[in-house]
Amino acid sequence: MQIAFTINGAPTAAEAQPRVTLADFLREKLKLTGTHVGCSHGVCGACTVIVDGAAIRSCLTLAVQADGCHVTTVEGLSPSGDLSPLQAAFRKHHALQCGFCTPGMLMTLHALLTDEPYADEARIREVLGGNLCRCTGYIPIVAAACEARIAYQGAKVQP
Amino acid sequence: MKLPPFDYRAPTSLQEALALLADHPGDARLLAGGQSLIPILAFRLAQPALLIDLRHVPSLNHIDINDSATTLGAMVRWCEIEKSEPLPQAQPLLYDACLHIAHFQIRNRGTVGGSLAHADPAAELPGVAVCCEARIRLSSGQEIAAAEFFTGALQTTLAPEEMILAVVFPAWPAARKWGFAEFARRPGDLAIAGIALFYDLDMAGRARDAHIAVIGATNLPMRLSSAEARLNGADLNEAALAAVAQAAADSADPPADIHASIAYRKSLVATLVRRALVQAMSR
Amino acid sequence: MSVTTAKRPNAYVGSPVERVEDLRFLTGRGEYVADLTREGQWHAAVVRSSLAHGRIVSLDVDQALALPGVRAVLTARDIGIVPLIPLRTGLPSYQPYAQPAIADNIVRYVGEPIALVLADTAEIAEDAADKVISEIEPLPLVLGWDQSVNGQILLIGDTTTNVAGRHLASRGDAAAAFAKAPYRRRETFRVHRHMAMPMETRGVLAEWDSATSHLTVHGAAKAPYFNRKSLAKMLNMPEASVDCMECDVGGGFGARGEVYPEDFLIAFAARKFARPIKWIEDRREHFMAMNHAREIDADLEIACTRDGKLLGLRGNAYIDCGAYIRPSCITSVRNIATFMAGAYRIPNFEVYGTAALTNKTPAGGFRGPGRYESCFFFERLMDIVADDLKLDRLEFRRRNLVTADDMPYPLAKLEPSESPDGFLDSGHYPATLDACAHEFGWADKLKLNGTVIDNLHHGIGLCCFVEGGAAGPRENVRLEIESSGDVTLYSGSSAIGQGLETVMSQIAADALEIPMERIRVLHGSTNLLHEGFGSFASRATVVGGNAVLVAAKTLLETVRNAAAERFQVSPEAVLVANGVANASDGRTLSFADLGDLKLKAEGTFANSKATYSYGTAMAHVAVDATTGFTKLLEYQVVDDVGRAINPLTLHGQVIGAAVQGLGGVFSEDLPYDENGQLLVGSFAEYVMPVATDYPNIHATTMEQYPSPNNPLGAKGAGEGGIIPVAGAVGNAVAAALAPLGVTIRHLPLTPARVWELIQAARA
C-alpha cells in the first residue's frame, strides 16, 4: 500500500508491503542504512528511531504504521553535517567501538534528553537498559549522555 | 526473521474494526502497540491473514478516573500511564506495577489492551488486574472479571470476534496498604516472579480483605487465597509475615524453565511476598 | 576520561586521540555488509537441521520452489563433492573433523545447514525456507565431553575416536614433584557454554564476474587473506580469482570473520548462477550457527609447600568443541593447557587439553580463548588452597608470580604444537598485584570479606593473568604518497570495531612526521596488498603497527632519494623532516611537490615471539542469599601493556571486555536439553549485560615494561580485559558465600544457580 510520512524533516511517499517493518523500509526503500537491525525481535534497540517525538523500536513497527507520522533517524540528528553535542560527547568519551549499536543509542538518548534534559545518571542508565552494546560496557555511553545534557537544557527549567 | 505475509487495514471506527474481525473469523489479529505481536510474527509463531491496526479507532486511548472506578482504554500506552498525574493517587498499586513494564522504547508503544490480550503470565498488568478485581470490558458489551478472563499462559476467554475495549479498576480507598515486588534478571525483563498485594486495616489495626496476586511464578496470574487467609485478621508482626510468605510459596504452582527451578520460584514467591508486605506496612 | 586531540606531529602515539572512524559511525554513514546492495541480487535463506544427530532420508524442495519469487534451492547434491572448511592448524589429528560446507547425508547439530534457498527478496527466501521438508532419521546423541571421549558413539565416519586433538603442556617433572609434595589438592571446575554475540550478525554478499571468472565476497572480517585462501580451495579456484572485501564490522570478539558454511554456500551460488547473492544472518540463526565457546571442564591437582610455594600443577581440561572442529577452535585447546597457570612460576607442570566432539553447535575462539576459563579454574584453586592452608591470598600469589628476574620465562612446552617454544617476554607481575591492591583498597575491603550487612553477603576476590598477543607470522603495510601529498596506508590488518584506522594513523603520522589528518587508512580487503594476516589474537596494533614503522622508514628514504634527484644533490645532503625534504641550500620539497612521482613503500614486520600483557583484577560483591542475586559493587583491573598507543581506545577495550566477561559469569548461558536442542534463541532468553548492571568498573594501565620483541614496545591488549573476570569475580562470590559452606566451582553464577548452591550447602 502507498504510505506517506515525514522523514528527517522532508516528506516522502512510497509503496510499502504490510509485512515490511519500519526498520527494513528505512534501510531498503529509503536507503537510510544508519538505522541498524541487531535482533529483529525488539530487544537490542539498535533500530531505535524517533516517531512523533517518541523513541521506538523500528523492528517492532510496521512501515505502514508510520503513515502520516514524523520519523527521525540518525541521519537526521545533525542536519548541518557537524556532530551534534550528543554525537561529539560520544566521540570524546569513546562511547562507541564497532558503531553498530550507536545509532540506536543516539536516538534513544536524543529522545530522552529532549524530553528530560535533567535526567540523572540513574534515569539515563534505566532508559539505556533497552539498548544492548557489546563493546563498551556502557560506562562511556553514560558519561557521554551526562555531558550532553546541558545542550538540551536550553530554555527548559529544571523540574 | 522477516514477518510472514499478511494484509493490513487501519479502520477508523470501532464498528469498522469489529466488522473486519467478524469477516475473518480466527484469521485476523488486532494490532495495538504490536510489542508482543510483532515478535510473535518475527519468530513465525503465528501467521494471521490480516492485521487490523487500531491506531485510528477513536476513544480507546482515554484514562478515565472517577469516584467509583478507574478506566484504562485498550489503546492507552505505558508511557501515558507513566505520565498521568492523577493515577498515582487514584490507583497507586496499578501505577507502581506499570513502572516495572519493559523498556523505554517498548513503553512508548505497548498498550493496556495488547498486554491483557497477550496474557503473558509474567506480565505486570494482568497480575495487578487480577489482584485488584478489575473487570475487562469487551466489545460484546460484557464485562468479565480479570480472574476469569485469564485461563492459562497466553490464553484468555476472548472470542475471535471480540475486542478488549478497556479495563476497569474499582476505586481505591486512600488508606489502603499495598506493595509490589518483582524479581527479573534485568530491569525491564519479564519477571521470574512478582507479587502485587494490598489489604485494608480494621479498627484494631489488623489486616482485612487481603489480596495477594502472583505473576511469573505460575502459568497464569492468580491470587493466592491461602496466603490471603493467613493475612486476614493477622497482627502484622514478624511471625505473620513469615506465615503469609510460607503460605504463598506453598500454594504457588510454578513452572520450571531455563531461568529457574520450581523450588527457586517458590522461594522467590516467599521472598517477594515478604518484601511487598514490608512495603505495605511502611506506607 | 577526558581527552584532548594532539595537533603537532610526533605526539600521537601515546595520546588519547579521538577516533577517525567515529565521524561516520556517529552520523549513520558507516557501511556494514547488510548496507550493501547490488542490482539484480538474489537473497538467500538457510534451511537448518532441526535434529542434533541424524541421517537425512529426504529433502523435499518442491513446495519451496513453487513459491513465486523463488529462484533455486541448493542442497548437498547440487554442490557435488562437499568441501570441508580448512582449519588454521595443520596438525593432522584435527583434519577429519573439519566441518563440511553443508550437511552431506548426516546432520550433527541443530542449526547445521541442509539447504540454501535463493529468492528475489529476503522475505520470500524465508517463506520458502519454511517449506523445505526434511525427513531426518534420528541417530544416538553425544552431549557431553565424558560421553564423547568414551567413544561408544562415533560422530564422524572413518574415525575411531571423537577426540580431535590432545595436547600436553609440560615443564619439569610433575610426577616426582607430586610424589614428595607436602600438600596436594585436587578439584574439578567447569565453565559453561556461551558465545561472543557481536551486535551485528554475519552477512555475505558475493558477486561473480563471468567475463574474468572472478569472485568478490563482501563481509569479510578478522582474517580476509586466510579466508580467501580457504574459499579458493573450497571452490577449486585460483586464489587470485577470489577477493574478500572488508566493510565496517559490528564487533568481532574472535567469532566473526571465520569461514563458516554460509561463506562458501553464498559464494558457490553466486558463481553457479552468475548473480550477486546476499545473505544476512538473523539473530535466531546466529544463536545456533555462529561459533559457541568456553564449555570446558577441568580436573586439576596442585602441589605446594605448606607456606605457599607452588611446586606443581597437573590435570586435564576437556573442551566441548561441538559437532565439528572450526578453523580457530584449536586456540582454546592449546591455551587451556599452556596457560592453565599463566602468570605463575610453577616448576613442575603437566596439563592436558583434550578436544572432544559433541552434537552441539561447533565452538571456536571467543576473546581470551582458554585464558578466561583457565583464570577461573586456577585462581579458584589458589583460593581453595589459601583457605585450606590459612595463607594470605595476596601473599600467596605474590610469592609465586613471575618476576622481572625470571624474564624471559619459558612457557610450558606444548606437544603437539606447530609453534616454537614460547616465553613470557617482560614484566614484573607482582607490580600490578600491588598496584591493583592499592587502587582497589584491598586492605580496607578485606574487613568486609565474609560479613553480612543488610542480608547481603560481602566478598572480595582477585585474579592475576597474562594475555598473549601479537601472534605471527607477520603483517604487511604499503604507504603511498598521493598527488595531494596526503598518504594512503594500506594495511593487512582488519578492523573489527577496535579503532584500527585511528591507531594505524597515529603510528604512521608520528613516523612520517605529518599530521594524522593527512593519512587515510585502507585495510583488510584482499585487493589492497599481496598478502595480509588480519586481526586476531590481539595482534593488529603490535604486528600491523610495527609494519607501519618499517614502511614509513622506507618511504622517508624513498622521499629523500627522490628529492635528492630533484635537487641534483646526493641523498646524504637531504634532510626529510616534518613532511618536507630540505636541501642544505634552503630549497624544500613537500610531499605534495613530489606527489606526481607516486612514491610508495612497503613494510613487513615479522615476529615469532608473542607479547604478554599482564595484570591483576579485584572484585567486591554482595550476594543476596534469598534470591541468589549478586551485585558487583566494585571491579578494578590494573594491567601493564608495555606501551599504550592510544590510551582512550585501550581503556575502552579493557572496560568493555570486563563487562562482556561479567555476562559470562552471571547470566549468559547456552543450555541444551537431552535431545540436543538449544534452549535459547532470542535476546530475551540470552541474558547479556545492560546499562543498569555494572556501573562500577575501573581500569588502570601501566607502561613499566615495554615488550623487547618489537620496536614499538607494545603488547597485545584487546583481550586482557576479559581474561581475569571470572577468576576475580568467582573468587569474590566464593569468599562471600564461604561462611555458608558454599564452594564455587562452576559457572555461571546466575541467581537461580547461586540460590541452589546455598540450599544444597544448608541441606
Side-chain angles (χ1 to χ4, degrees):
Chain A
M1 61 184 280
Q2 189 74 14
I3 60 169
F5 60 89
T6 305
I7 178 74
N8 297 328
T12 186
E15 183 70 21
Q17 273 189 29
R19 67 150 133 179
V20 172
T21 62
L22 179 59
D24 283 350
F25 184 84
L26 292 168
R27 292 176 47 79
E28 281 151 31
K29 209 70 163 200
L30 304 185
K31 305 295 176 201
L32 293 172
T33 55
T35 299
H36 296 155
V37 178
C39 75
S40 295
H41 56 269
V43 186
C44 82
C47 69
T48 302
V49 301
I50 298 176
V51 174
D52 293 343
I56 61 127
R57 303 204 192 280
S58 63
C59 76
L60 294 190
T61 304
L62 304 176
V64 292
Q65 287 178 285
D67 187 37
C69 297
H70 289 264
V71 180
T72 308
T73 66
V74 67
E75 289 91 347
L77 212 46
S78 52
S80 69
D82 295 338
L83 296 185
S84 73
L86 179 63
Q87 289 166 321
F90 263 59
R91 190 177 188 211
K92 175 177 162 186
H93 288 274
H94 192 33
L96 66 158
Q97 289 181 30
C98 80
F100 197 80
C101 75
T102 308
M105 292 286 177
L106 290 169
M107 300 317 288
T108 301
L109 288 169
H110 182 62
L112 171 71
L113 297 179
T114 300
D115 266 9
E116 302 175 35
Y118 294 91
D120 63 11
E121 185 184 321
R123 171 67 173 156
I124 288 168
R125 282 191 181 274
E126 178 203 334
V127 166
L128 285 178
N131 292 65
L132 295 177
C133 170
R134 195 56 160 169
C135 296
T136 65
Y138 305 100
I139 289 165
I141 298 177
V142 173
C146 288
E147 175 166 314
R149 282 179 298 202
I150 192 161
Y152 289 87
Q153 286 163 0
K156 267 208 179 183
V157 181
Q158 183 160 11
Chain B
M1 301 182 71
K2 304 295 183 189
L3 309 184
F6 48 78
D7 287 331
Y8 169 89
R9 298 287 293 278
T12 53
S13 72
L14 188 58
Q15 206 176 6
E16 192 188 343
L18 290 168
L20 282 167
L21 205 50
D23 286 349
H24 296 79
D27 214 12
R29 294 291 287 269
L30 296 169
L31 176 61
Q35 305 300 285
S36 298
L37 179 59
I38 304 288
I40 285 172
L41 300 179
F43 282 103
R44 300 202 177 210
L45 301 173
Q47 304 209 5
L50 174 68
L51 291 196
I52 304 167
D53 189 350
L54 299 177
R55 70 193 185 104
H56 293 314
V57 174
S59 70
L60 292 177
N61 58 349
H62 295 306
I63 299 177
D64 182 29
I65 300 172
N66 61 38
D67 289 347
S68 62
T70 293
T71 305
L72 305 176
M75 287 295 282
V76 169
R77 299 186 196 276
W78 307 124
C79 60
E80 291 160 351
I81 290 177
E82 189 176 348
K83 287 174 185 159
S84 165
E85 281 180 12
L87 202 59
Q89 288 76 45
Q91 296 285 341
L93 173 59
L94 167 66
Y95 182 79
D96 189 75
C98 286
L99 296 182
H100 288 78
I101 297 171
H103 295 110
F104 187 60
Q105 300 94 331
I106 301 275
R107 298 170 63 78
N108 284 330
R109 297 292 285 183
T111 64
V112 164
S115 173
L116 296 171
H118 183 55
D120 192 307
E124 287 83 358
L125 183 65
V128 181
V130 166
C131 182
C132 295
E133 297 191 52
R135 298 181 72 78
I136 293 165
R137 186 177 294 160
L138 303 175
S139 56
S140 59
Q142 268 193 307
E143 264 189 21
I144 180 168
E148 289 162 38
F149 181 74
F150 302 106
T151 55
L154 311 184
Q155 288 175 333
T156 70
T157 60
L158 195 66
E161 69 283 2
E162 257 179 336
M163 185 193 297
I164 296 169
L165 298 183
V167 57
V168 185
F169 283 77
W172 182 275
R176 181 166 279 173
K177 304 291 187 181
W178 61 276
F180 183 86
E182 69 174 36
F183 186 81
R185 297 296 301 274
R186 301 170 292 197
D189 281 5
L190 285 171
I192 295 178
I195 294 291
L197 63 80
F198 69 81
Y199 57 86
D200 296 321
L201 292 179
D202 66 16
M203 303 298 278
R206 283 185 290 259
R208 66 172 185 84
D209 197 23
H211 284 57
I212 302 175
V214 60
I215 61 170
T218 49
N219 66 357
L220 77 168
M222 61 164 65
R223 285 170 60 185
L224 300 171
S225 51
S226 61
E228 292 174 351
R230 280 280 187 167
L231 182 54
N232 283 328
D235 285 320
L236 293 163
N237 53 29
E238 179 56 32
L241 248 65
V244 175
Q246 191 56 48
D250 290 345
S251 61
D253 180 20
D257 63 22
I258 57 169
H259 293 305
S261 64
I262 290 169
Y264 179 59
R265 278 206 161 89
K266 277 178 173 285
S267 167
L268 280 182
V269 166
T271 298
L272 295 169
V273 164
R274 171 182 282 274
R275 287 180 184 177
L277 280 172
V278 169
Q279 281 178 26
M281 288 159 61
S282 71
R283 290 185 207 279
Chain C
M1 72 196 277
S2 80
V3 170
T4 48
T5 306
K7 287 294 180 204
R8 75 190 161 78
N10 281 313
Y12 293 112
V13 170
S15 297
V17 176
E18 291 187 359
R19 297 202 320 170
V20 178
E21 297 87 342
D22 290 358
L23 295 174
R24 65 175 188 276
F25 290 156
L26 286 164
T27 52
R29 291 184 288 112
E31 190 172 68
Y32 301 82
V33 63
D35 302 343
L36 305 177
T37 55
R38 292 292 182 270
E39 195 65 34
Q41 69 191 5
W42 291 350
H43 295 261
V46 181
V47 184
R48 300 180 183 279
S49 172
S50 57
L51 286 191
H53 196 194
R55 187 179 311 281
I56 300 174
V57 178
S58 67
L59 279 175
D60 180 352
V61 303
D62 292 349
Q63 282 188 51
L65 279 169
L67 267 190
V70 174
R71 300 293 188 146
V73 181
L74 298 179
T75 66
R77 194 177 303 170
D78 302 290
I79 309 293
I81 297 169
V82 175
L84 301 181
I85 299 172
L87 305 181
R88 282 226 291 278
T89 170
L91 291 176
S93 76
Y94 286 91
Q95 307 306 321
Y97 302 93
Q99 179 165 11
I102 189 166
D104 191 5
N105 190 27
I106 306 284
V107 294
R108 296 185 177 86
Y109 65 95
V110 171
E112 182 167 7
I114 56 175
L116 186 76
V117 176
L118 302 169
D120 289 341
T121 69
E123 286 84 357
I124 296 171
E126 192 171 332
D127 295 345
D130 281 351
K131 295 190 182 299
V132 172
I133 298 160
S134 60
E135 190 189 333
I136 300 173
E137 177 196 344
L139 292 169
L141 298 171
V142 175
L143 291 174
W145 70 265
D146 42 355
Q147 197 195 352
S148 175
V149 299
N150 81 25
Q152 284 173 0
I153 300 162
L154 291 176
L155 293 186
I156 310 283
D158 300 330
T159 63
T160 56
T161 172
N162 296 318
V163 172
R166 188 156 196 255
H167 303 256
L168 168 63
S170 65
R171 179 194 298 130
D173 184 344
F178 274 85
K180 59 182 184 198
Y183 175 84
R184 293 152 54 157
R185 178 86 186 217
R186 183 173 172 180
E187 292 285 338
T188 59
F189 301 99
R190 173 176 170 76
V191 173
H192 63 300
R193 185 171 271 254
H194 52 289
M195 67 194 293
M197 202 61 77
M199 290 315 301
E200 184 197 17
T201 57
R202 292 177 296 141
V204 183
L205 173 64
E207 299 178 89
W208 176 254
D209 183 342
S210 302
T212 59
S213 292
H214 191 91
L215 179 73
T216 305
V217 182
H218 303 267
K222 185 177 179 177
Y225 291 84
F226 179 85
N227 293 351
R228 166 169 70 172
K229 196 175 293 183
S230 297
L231 278 178
K233 186 177 173 199
M234 294 170 78
L235 291 158
N236 198 17
M237 287 171 62
E239 219 178 297
S241 299
V242 180
D243 272 310
C244 289
M245 308 298 289
E246 183 182 86
C247 37
D248 287 324
V249 173
F253 316 125
R256 176 80 188 273
E258 297 296 342
V259 174
Y260 287 88
E262 297 85 357
D263 295 79
F264 168 83
L265 293 172
I266 304 304
F268 180 91
R271 182 178 66 176
K272 180 177 173 74
F273 298 106
R275 280 266 172 182
I277 311 276
K278 182 175 178 178
W279 171 74
I280 301 300
E281 180 184 52
D282 69 35
R283 188 59 68 180
R284 177 178 45 179
E285 58 188 343
H286 183 98
F287 276 97
M288 55 181 122
M290 186 85 159
N291 281 347
H292 288 186
R294 301 256 198 266
E295 186 173 6
I296 304 184
D297 282 81
D299 176 356
L300 297 175
E301 188 175 18
I302 193 167
C304 63
T305 62
R306 293 205 155 262
D307 59 353
K309 181 173 162 41
L310 294 179
L311 300 172
L313 181 71
R314 65 182 176 188
N316 278 283
Y318 298 93
I319 296 86
D320 183 331
C321 296
Y324 301 103
I325 297 297
R326 283 198 171 156
S328 65
C329 182
I330 185 187
T331 311
S332 43
V333 188
R334 220 170 40 204
N335 283 355
I336 195 68
T338 311
F339 296 97
M340 185 60 84
Y344 297 92
R345 202 175 40 226
I346 302 186
N348 305 289
F349 192 90
E350 186 180 297
V351 177
Y352 291 89
T354 300
L357 264 65
T358 61
N359 290 117
K360 301 181 199 165
T361 293
F366 169 24
R367 208 177 201 177
R371 301 177 194 272
Y372 176 92
E373 302 91 325
S374 66
C375 271
F376 176 70
F377 301 153
F378 187 73
E379 293 284 344
R380 277 280 46 237
L381 189 55
M382 288 287 279
D383 267 14
I384 288 169
V385 171
D387 190 44
D388 214 9
L389 296 178
K390 305 282 176 276
L391 301 171
D392 176 82
R393 287 192 277 167
L394 294 192
E395 190 48 41
F396 184 27
R397 287 172 172 85
R398 199 179 281 122
R399 174 146 195 209
N400 293 289
L401 284 167
V402 175
T403 67
D405 292 341
D406 300 320
M407 296 296 177
Y409 183 73
L411 298 174
K413 183 176 178 58
L414 188 73
E415 294 169 306
S417 171
E418 296 157 292
S419 310
D421 295 344
F423 294 85
L424 299 176
D425 54 345
S426 67
H428 184 64
Y429 294 3
T432 59
L433 175 83
D434 292 333
C436 191
H438 175 74
E439 295 280 333
F440 178 75
W442 177 271
D444 274 349
K445 290 196 169 73
L446 194 58
K447 292 169 197 150
L448 291 172
N449 193 51
T451 63
V452 184
I453 303 166
D454 293 338
N455 287 318
L456 298 176
H457 297 250
H458 287 252
I460 62 173
L462 82 156
C463 172
C464 300
F465 68 98
V466 294
E467 170 193 10
R474 59 190 168 273
E475 194 55 277
N476 298 313
V477 162
R478 186 172 75 250
L479 294 169
E480 290 184 9
I481 298 179
E482 307 293 342
S483 53
S484 62
D486 290 354
V487 174
T488 303
L489 188 164
Y490 298 88
S491 171
S493 302
S494 291
I496 42 179
Q498 82 278 47
L500 182 85
E501 294 163 36
T502 304
V503 165
M504 292 298 132
S505 298
Q506 286 177 260
I507 296 169
D510 275 6
L512 296 171
E513 300 181 322
I514 61 174
M516 247 181 88
E517 295 72 28
R518 286 180 49 197
I519 293 165
R520 182 173 65 127
V521 177
L522 300 176
H523 50 79
S525 300
T526 58
N527 61 350
L528 299 177
L529 292 165
H530 69 280
E531 176 199 67
F533 292 87
S535 297
F536 49 90
S538 297
R539 69 186 304 279
T541 299
V542 181
V543 189
N546 278 292
V548 171
L549 288 189
V550 176
K553 193 172 171 212
T554 309
L555 185 68
L556 290 178
E557 204 60 31
T558 309
V559 167
R560 184 158 86 150
N561 291 338
E565 208 172 309
R566 288 262 170 107
F567 292 142
Q568 297 285 306
V569 299
S570 75
E572 290 72 32
V574 177
L575 177 73
V576 182
N578 298 324
V580 178
N582 303 279
S584 48
D585 58 8
R587 285 179 294 165
T588 62
L589 285 168
S590 69
F591 280 13
D593 296 331
L594 298 167
D596 56 323
L597 296 177
K598 304 274 178 238
L599 297 179
K600 61 178 125 182
E602 303 212 352
T604 298
F605 181 75
N607 70 323
S608 57
K609 293 178 180 170
T611 63
Y612 291 92
S613 298
Y614 60 92
T616 302
M618 294 181 176
H620 176 197
V621 301
V623 184
D624 180 346
T626 60
T627 62
F629 177 79
T630 303
K631 189 168 176 57
L632 182 67
L633 299 174
E634 186 77 25
Y635 181 90
Q636 170 75 50
V637 58
V638 175
D639 60 358
D640 189 324
V641 301
R643 189 177 183 197
I645 308 300
N646 187 330
L648 182 65
T649 60
L650 173 70
H651 189 257
Q653 287 286 316
V654 178
I655 296 279
V659 172
Q660 207 171 63
L662 290 165
V665 174
F666 289 118
S667 58
E668 295 175 35
D669 192 7
L670 293 169
Y672 279 81
D673 71 8
E674 66 280 7
N675 299 314
Q677 294 289 335
L678 179 58
L679 296 178
V680 301
S682 83
F683 276 154
E685 298 151 328
Y686 190 77
V687 183
M688 300 216 295
V690 295
T692 41
D693 287 337
Y694 306 113
N696 302 314
I697 312 287
H698 303 284
T700 307
T701 290
M702 313 202 314
E703 299 172 275
Q704 290 188 343
Y705 290 89
S707 177
N709 295 344
N710 67 80
L712 280 172
K715 297 181 174 186
E719 301 170 87
I722 203 168
I723 290 169
V725 176
V729 177
N731 276 339
V733 174
L737 299 181
L740 298 178
V742 172
T743 304
I744 301 293
R745 294 186 182 87
H746 296 186
L747 295 183
L749 302 175
T750 59
R753 267 207 73 239
V754 169
W755 183 85
E756 306 277 357
L757 287 172
I758 293 168
Q759 301 316 303
R762 280 175 179 163

